[in-house]
Amino acid sequence: MTAQKKKLELNAHIAQKIEVTPGLIILRIVPDGWELPDFEPGQFAVIGLPGSAPRYTYSDPDPEKATRDPEKMIRRAYSIASSSVNKEYIEFYITMVTSGALTPRIFHLTPGDPIYLSPKFTGMFTLDKTPPDKHIVMVSTGTGLAPYMSMLRTALPCGTDRQFAVIHGARHSWDLGYRSELITIERICSNFTYFNIISRPELEKVKWGGLTGYVQDIWSQGQLAEAWGFMPTPENTHVFLCGNPKMIDDVNALLNTHGFKEHTRKEPGEIHYERYW
């Protein structure tokens, strides 16, 4: 067997599949016969399945079925949601793209089924790019919440003067994954604030009593400043953005008007982002 084939074999299996909604899952993967590598919270891993893997019943037909090589691995990068301290499994937060190549195949899997997991994790969307004395705001839509769960589970300095906030937006309340865990963290840690907001309250089965609108509204309407007791500024706060590219563009533009600038390798700034497509 060549080195290339060894690299692409199904080298892990599904340990647990938690259905948040019919199109949204939390997936836990365990390696087969090898140890999970060290990684920084916020980094990503690659998972994959061969083209011959069956698709989820309620997904669309494979648009590339006629030309797809059934033996070729379909691979995609996903942010890790589990703590970097946890070496038992790697957790992912995944939404199904019904017409996609990989996610309909992932949604067909059940515990015990084999899957490919990259032996190396990587990525620059990490907390170590921020000064340890700066407050942190984590803004996300949908499954863009995943890297923040890894950061919080690993590195939240509970009860210190350093403030952390998560602002999570979704269309519906049932799409607010990890909501119970984040509410619990907020109750335990005095320096952690959790906001969730939905944009389609008229579609709720039960009247929604929470915030409505978009994630940037939390900032522009002053709710974050009110919760913290002070205004986040480029001098005291770094902001992470993850998820829908339009959200990132909109929030980035809003932050620019407040003096925040993008962080790059050449020029340090206070805005860090990762687009999900």
Side-chain angles (χ1 to χ4, degrees), residues 34-254:
W34 54 282
E35 292 186 2
L36 293 171
D38 293 334
F39 68 94
E40 290 293 325
Q43 292 189 312
F44 60 84
V46 173
I47 58 179
L49 289 166
S52 58
R55 293 170 67 88
Y56 186 60
T57 302
Y58 300 107
S59 64
D60 299 336
D62 188 348
E64 299 180 24
K65 182 177 181 180
T67 58
R68 190 182 302 284
D69 181 350
E71 300 306 316
K72 185 176 181 181
M73 196 75 73
I74 304 167
R75 294 176 290 168
R76 301 288 186 271
Y78 291 93
S79 293
I80 299 167
S82 47
S83 168
S84 64
V85 178
N86 172 31
K87 295 297 184 179
E88 180 183 354
Y89 57 79
I90 289 294
E91 182 173 301
F92 300 96
Y93 184 37
I94 301 174
T95 188
M96 183 168 66
V97 179
T98 56
S99 61
L102 182 58
T103 56
R105 291 175 166 87
I106 290 175
F107 271 70
H108 186 272
L109 297 174
T110 59
D113 286 342
I115 192 170
Y116 170 77
L117 175 66
S118 60
K120 182 180 180 181
F121 307 155
T122 189
M124 304 296 291
F125 191 68
T126 56
L127 280 173
D128 61 3
K129 302 299 183 294
T130 65
D133 61 335
K134 303 301 182 184
H135 307 299
I136 302 295
V137 180
M138 303 169 172
V139 185
S140 62
T141 53
T143 55
L145 182 65
Y148 303 151
M149 296 308 302
S150 183
M151 294 174 184
L152 295 171
R153 288 165 164 176
T154 306
L156 175 63
C158 188
T160 67
D161 292 333
R162 190 185 190 192
Q163 296 295 317
F164 282 72
V166 163
I167 302 174
H168 186 208
R171 290 185 176 182
H172 318 290
S173 63
W174 50 87
D175 295 326
L176 293 168
Y178 296 106
R179 186 179 170 197
S180 295
E181 182 174 345
L182 290 166
I183 289 173
T184 300
I185 295 173
E186 184 177 43
R187 289 173 178 170
I188 294 172
C189 297
S190 59
N191 60 322
F192 176 71
T193 307
Y194 170 52
F195 294 98
N196 55 70
I197 187 167
I198 64 170
S199 60
R200 301 289 187 272
E202 69 278 5
L203 300 179
E204 295 293 299
K205 304 301 181 182
V206 177
K207 183 176 174 60
W208 173 251
L211 298 173
T212 61
Y214 299 94
V215 291
Q216 56 266 35
D217 297 335
I218 303 296
W219 187 291
S220 60
Q221 294 174 6
Q223 288 155 313
L224 175 60
E226 181 180 356
W228 277 6
F230 60 88
M231 185 68 186
T233 67
E235 291 70 38
N236 62 26
T237 301
H238 278 236
V239 182
F240 285 75
L241 309 175
C242 189
N244 186 315
K246 186 179 186 308
M247 177 276 289
I248 290 176
D249 290 340
D250 290 345
V251 177
N252 189 57
L254 172 63

